[in-house]
Amino acid sequence: MNRTSLARTLAAAATALLTAACGTAAGSSGQGPSAPPAPTTAAAPARVTHTLPRDPALMVLPATGAESRWTQGLDVFVQQVARTAAADCAHDEGITPPGQEVPLAFISYAELPDLAFLGRHGFGHGTEVPVPTPAASPAAARSGGAAETRRCRAEGEAAGAAVRDVYLPVQQAWFGALTASRNDPAASRALRDLPGCLADHGYRVRDENAFFALVDSRLMNAPAADYAREDSALGSAYALCMRPVEAAREPVRRHLRERFLAEHAEEIRGLRTALVPALRRAERTYGLRLAFPTP
């Protein structure tokens, strides 16, 4: 079980428990996660914020788990645009909207663990994605034919792409550059200490991926009455034990971002000019509101 499969599994589990996946203080200054609280009582439900970062480029170029909340919100917004455009097309055709079956979820990034959120909410509880008010549907919507369904899907995909293409090339380049932080010697040394720290909390695993496999197993098999306690304990232990690793990685990522900003100055200027207007335009067109997860 790797990080990606864990994220998918836990997103599904979270949806079944009336919540989505993770994030933390999107309206924060982006200075990195705070120390997670001990799991003494159940945390207040995670919420959303509509506050944009001071620099819109941070939505595309996150360097910390806290900053990744903006990126999660951006990802979900593009999906909402695509779904809404497809639903509008279906409404005009009098057919059932295609591709609306699976609820949307804020999904965290393995490269940017959001320790503050995990420490407070665990792995299986997160922020619900706000559900936009749907357009009025015909009283007797029918299943669409293949051609109608394809056309509405294509309209949705084109609408989402119109927003995503404003930032995607820069974002892809940034996430490629971000992988260099994996090789930082200080972070690698701290990561070697992770199994020992987790063992001190009762989780005997050989490495981080083995811990994720344990999380997957424990949460998928926990009785409903024990789920929240189990999840809180797992999230708190991981957040605490990963703090030295992230303390080493975050300065490296910030340095990488400064270099990236300098090397891609023209693209970043264009991004800063175009991104927020494109988002606001989509909000008006589709009756949506950009939102970010926050604890």
Side-chain angles (χ1 to χ4, degrees), residues 1-294:
M1 174 66 66
N2 58 30
R3 299 180 188 188
T4 302
S5 57
L6 176 73
R8 290 172 180 159
T9 298
L10 294 182
T15 298
L17 291 159
L18 307 180
T19 54
C22 0
T24 341
S28 73
S29 64
Q31 294 303 307
S34 58
T40 52
T41 58
R47 307 174 306 277
V48 296
T49 179
H50 303 285
T51 304
L52 291 172
R54 290 186 297 273
D55 180 358
L58 292 181
M59 286 187 278
V60 179
L61 311 173
T64 70
E67 291 174 351
S68 77
R69 301 165 205 156
W70 286 310
T71 315
Q72 293 172 50
L74 189 59
D75 291 343
V76 164
F77 183 73
V78 169
Q79 294 176 71
Q80 287 180 320
V81 167
R83 288 191 176 198
T84 303
D88 289 348
C89 169
H91 176 265
D92 293 343
E93 295 289 341
I95 64 174
T96 303
Q100 311 286 314
E101 300 82 9
V102 180
L104 295 177
F106 295 112
I107 304 296
S108 61
Y109 290 85
E111 289 289 337
L112 299 164
D114 194 345
L115 302 186
F117 194 98
L118 290 170
R120 184 170 186 182
H121 295 286
F123 290 90
H125 289 83
T127 307
E128 280 191 85
V129 174
V131 179
T133 304
S137 298
R142 58 184 173 81
S143 296
E148 292 171 315
T149 299
R150 277 197 304 272
R151 186 171 74 80
C152 288
R153 285 187 186 277
E155 286 194 17
E157 290 167 2
V163 179
R164 187 174 55 245
D165 289 350
V166 173
Y167 67 85
L168 187 62
V170 176
Q171 186 182 69
Q172 287 177 327
W174 166 239
F175 276 106
L178 192 60
T179 59
S181 65
R182 296 176 187 170
N183 302 320
D184 176 68
S188 297
R189 287 193 297 271
L191 196 58
R192 286 196 293 270
D193 294 333
L194 180 66
C197 178
L198 291 170
D200 291 341
H201 291 272
Y203 304 113
R204 297 190 177 279
V205 293
R206 68 181 179 277
D207 57 24
E208 189 180 12
N209 278 338
F211 178 74
F212 287 140
L214 177 68
V215 171
D216 193 0
S217 175
R218 292 259 182 120
L219 295 188
M220 294 302 289
N221 293 294
D226 296 336
Y227 186 96
R229 177 192 55 78
E230 186 80 65
D231 189 24
S232 180
L234 288 161
S236 181
Y238 180 75
L240 180 65
C241 292
M242 278 293 289
R243 280 165 60 189
V245 181
E246 284 300 286
R249 284 176 175 167
E250 285 189 8
V252 176
R253 295 193 200 111
R254 292 179 188 280
H255 175 73
L256 286 171
R257 184 166 61 192
E258 289 304 314
R259 188 169 70 188
F260 185 90
L261 290 169
E263 292 174 350
H264 297 79
E266 184 175 350
E267 297 101 303
I268 300 302
R269 278 194 297 273
L271 177 70
R272 286 171 170 152
T273 299
L275 181 57
V276 173
L279 297 173
R280 296 309 190 208
R281 216 165 29 244
E283 286 181 322
R284 293 191 298 271
T285 300
Y286 299 105
L288 300 171
R289 191 175 184 193
L290 181 63
F292 311 99
T294 179

